Amino acid sequence: MRAPKSFFVENGLAELGLSGAVFDFPPEEMERICNRLDANLAELETKGARIRGWVYADTPDAANAATMVNIPTGLVNLVILSAAIVAAPSIGKNLSSVTVAQLKLARDNLLFFGKRIPQYQRNTNMPVGSGNQVWADGVQFYVNRPPRLDAGPDAHLDPDMEIWNGDNNIDGF
C-alpha cells in the first residue's frame, strides 16, 4: 500500500479514539510520532523482521510525515497499531486490550511466519537404519540407488531391427 507516513499515524490516532483530533495536532507532534514509529519498526528489523517498503529517516530528527512508503498490504495493520502504541503514552490515552492483542498477533505473524526455516538433509555415509527403508515410498533421507536393470524376455525385440548401425556415434568401439 502506497501512502505517506502521516496516513499511518492518523489511523493509529483513530485507533485511540482521536480521529477528529488529528487536525488539531501540530506538525511537530506528528513528526515526533513518525520518529517514534521509525524507531519502533527499526527495532522489529533488528529482530529479523524487515518491513519491505518502509523508508527510514536519515537522522533521528528528520522523519518527514509526508514521506511516501510502499509496504505490503498484509503489514498495514501492524504499522497502524504500532503508531497507536507509540502515540498513546505521550497523548495520555489508555490502550484497549484489543489493540494490544491485535498488535501482538500482527508482530508474531511477522516475526515467525515470515522467516524461512532452514532445511537439512542427513549425510549419506550413515548406516541404513529404520529411518531409511528402501521399500518405503516417498522422499528418502539418503540418495536412492539407481533402479536395477533386468534384461527380461526377448519377445518384444524385433529380430530384423538393426541395433548397431553406423549412425550411432559411439567413440572407442
Side-chain angles (χ1 to χ4, degrees):
M1 176 179 177
R2 187 168 171 78
K5 288 183 182 181
S6 61
F7 169 80
F8 300 103
V9 173
E10 289 170 6
N11 283 312
L13 292 172
E15 181 73 25
L16 296 173
L18 297 173
S19 58
V22 170
F23 302 106
D24 296 337
F25 270 67
E28 295 83 23
E29 186 72 20
M30 290 290 274
E31 294 291 329
R32 190 187 63 72
I33 294 173
C34 284
N35 278 331
R36 301 247 346 255
L37 184 60
D38 275 353
N40 192 342
L41 296 179
E43 207 174 290
L44 279 177
E45 188 174 345
T46 60
K47 295 178 182 175
R50 171 92 172 113
I51 297 179
R52 291 177 288 123
W54 188 262
V55 180
Y56 295 98
D58 294 334
T59 60
D61 296 330
N64 188 1
T67 302
M68 295 296 285
V69 294
N70 189 12
I71 64 172
T73 309
L75 298 177
V76 171
N77 195 31
L78 171 74
V79 176
I80 289 172
L81 293 171
S82 295
I85 297 285
V86 162
S90 61
I91 297 172
K93 294 292 281 184
N94 291 332
L95 295 166
S96 76
S97 59
V98 174
T99 303
V100 175
Q102 284 180 337
L103 180 65
K104 179 165 178 17
L105 285 174
R107 281 187 179 177
D108 287 348
N109 286 340
L110 179 66
L111 288 171
F112 299 121
F113 297 124
K115 289 189 176 182
R116 300 184 120 201
I117 298 172
Q119 297 186 5
Y120 298 100
Q121 186 174 10
R122 293 184 183 182
N123 54 6
T124 57
N125 60 359
M126 293 177 66
V128 175
S130 62
N132 184 20
Q133 298 171 354
V134 179
W135 58 87
D137 294 330
V139 179
Q140 299 293 311
F141 287 120
Y142 306 103
V143 178
N144 289 333
R145 294 187 182 114
R148 298 182 121 201
L149 297 175
D150 293 330
D154 293 334
H156 65 279
L157 290 176
D158 184 13
D160 296 328
M161 188 169 81
E162 183 73 30
I163 296 177
W164 297 104
N165 63 11
D167 294 335
N168 294 339
N169 189 7
I170 299 175
D171 297 326
F173 290 108

